Amino acid sequence: AVSALANKDDQHIPRVLAWAREFAIEFDLTTYNALLNVAMRHSKTAEAFSILKHMQDRAIEPNSITFTVVLSALFHSDFFTKLSPSEQTTQLFPAAARALLDHMSARGHEPTTHIYTILMQSYFDATPPDFAAAEALWARLQNANSGYGAALDTIFYDRMVEAYAKNHSHVGIAPMLQFLERMSHEGKRPGWKLLELVARALVEQDEWGRLLGLIDDIRES
């Protein structure tokens, strides 16, 4: 009931929770994740952290859904932008991200590709972009899963190529092309918007030969 109401009529959730308490029904992880989602969607950060504290007090371990809900909301709200630059550095780049990953790993939770995408995007969205942190996270991803590498989807690679394409004047075209080639090897197809960004970066770098090669690859595929 809570999960259903969380998607459209969350104002009725308190009535359901009150009803559950009358019957001494304990909330489980699914219920807490739904409540977290509602709290974060309405920018009630303090309430969300209170829910997490209550979970901890009841020894209910969070899962990947829990972390995804919290991270998505924090990075898409003004929670971090309200902090001073030094506070942002202390609380987010990169200590908090490493702490989060270590926390999940210690409990046997493999972060989802969505979580990795959120973290990587946060590094690229920083001012200036934190390429060192992005490279450190990428190194961690390659060593994940007992050295076989983390399972990553097309969206993750799209964000990587996009970020390096937009910042080609600072990092060159090599990272952009390396990740684009990796996508091809893994059978992941980049979207047209991404290919346009890559093409523009190659033009701005006067890499006409590489641009023609890209066009040929697109025609063949």
Side-chain angles (χ1 to χ4, degrees):
V2 170
S3 296
L5 291 172
N7 292 326
K8 46 186 175 182
D9 295 316
D10 56 55
Q11 70 269 20
H12 298 300
I13 288 179
R15 293 173 56 193
V16 176
L17 299 182
W19 177 85
R21 292 191 185 97
E22 290 180 5
F23 291 90
I25 297 175
E26 295 287 347
F27 305 153
D28 61 8
L29 179 58
T30 300
T31 307
Y32 280 118
N33 282 340
L35 295 176
L36 271 174
N37 192 21
V38 173
M40 299 304 286
R41 187 168 66 237
H42 292 297
S43 301
K44 296 180 179 179
T45 310
E47 181 178 324
F49 285 127
S50 176
I51 293 172
L52 290 171
K53 177 64 165 59
H54 195 65
M55 290 172 61
Q56 183 179 25
D57 292 342
R58 290 195 52 217
I60 295 179
E61 288 288 340
N63 61 5
S64 289
I65 295 175
T66 313
F67 292 114
T68 301
V69 167
V70 176
L71 276 173
S72 296
L74 288 178
F75 284 124
H76 289 91
S77 69
D78 62 352
F79 178 78
F80 289 115
T81 58
K82 291 186 295 186
L83 303 175
S84 68
S86 61
E87 288 174 324
Q88 289 185 31
T89 301
T90 301
Q91 298 191 33
L92 180 59
F93 299 114
R98 283 201 302 267
L100 172 70
L101 295 178
D102 290 341
H103 178 82
M104 294 184 70
S105 298
R107 284 156 179 75
H109 298 306
E110 177 63 29
T112 63
T113 183
H114 188 188
I115 288 180
Y116 286 133
T117 303
I118 293 170
L119 291 174
M120 190 66 79
Q121 190 68 54
S122 72
Y123 294 137
F124 289 128
D125 287 344
T127 305
D130 195 341
F131 293 110
E135 291 171 3
L137 178 57
W138 175 245
R140 181 181 185 130
L141 294 179
Q142 290 180 299
N143 293 324
N145 192 22
S146 301
Y148 287 98
L152 302 169
D153 62 9
T154 302
I155 296 176
F156 175 87
Y157 283 113
D158 273 358
R159 297 291 83 79
M160 291 286 286
V161 177
E162 177 183 300
Y164 283 120
K166 290 180 177 178
N167 293 279
H168 67 85
S169 59
H170 301 294
V171 296
I173 62 172
M176 171 187 75
L177 295 177
Q178 287 171 1
F179 281 104
L180 193 64
E181 183 178 1
R182 190 180 184 97
M183 289 183 72
S184 177
H185 288 329
E186 294 186 10
K188 297 178 172 61
R189 297 175 65 89
W192 286 110
K193 180 180 178 182
L194 179 64
L195 291 171
E196 179 184 348
L197 287 173
V198 173
R200 290 183 181 277
L202 292 174
V203 169
E204 291 172 12
Q205 290 280 352
D206 288 328
E207 292 283 353
W208 299 101
R210 293 181 184 274
L211 177 59
L212 292 175
L214 175 66
I215 294 172
D216 288 340
D217 290 342
I218 293 172
R219 284 174 173 164
E220 291 178 7
S221 62

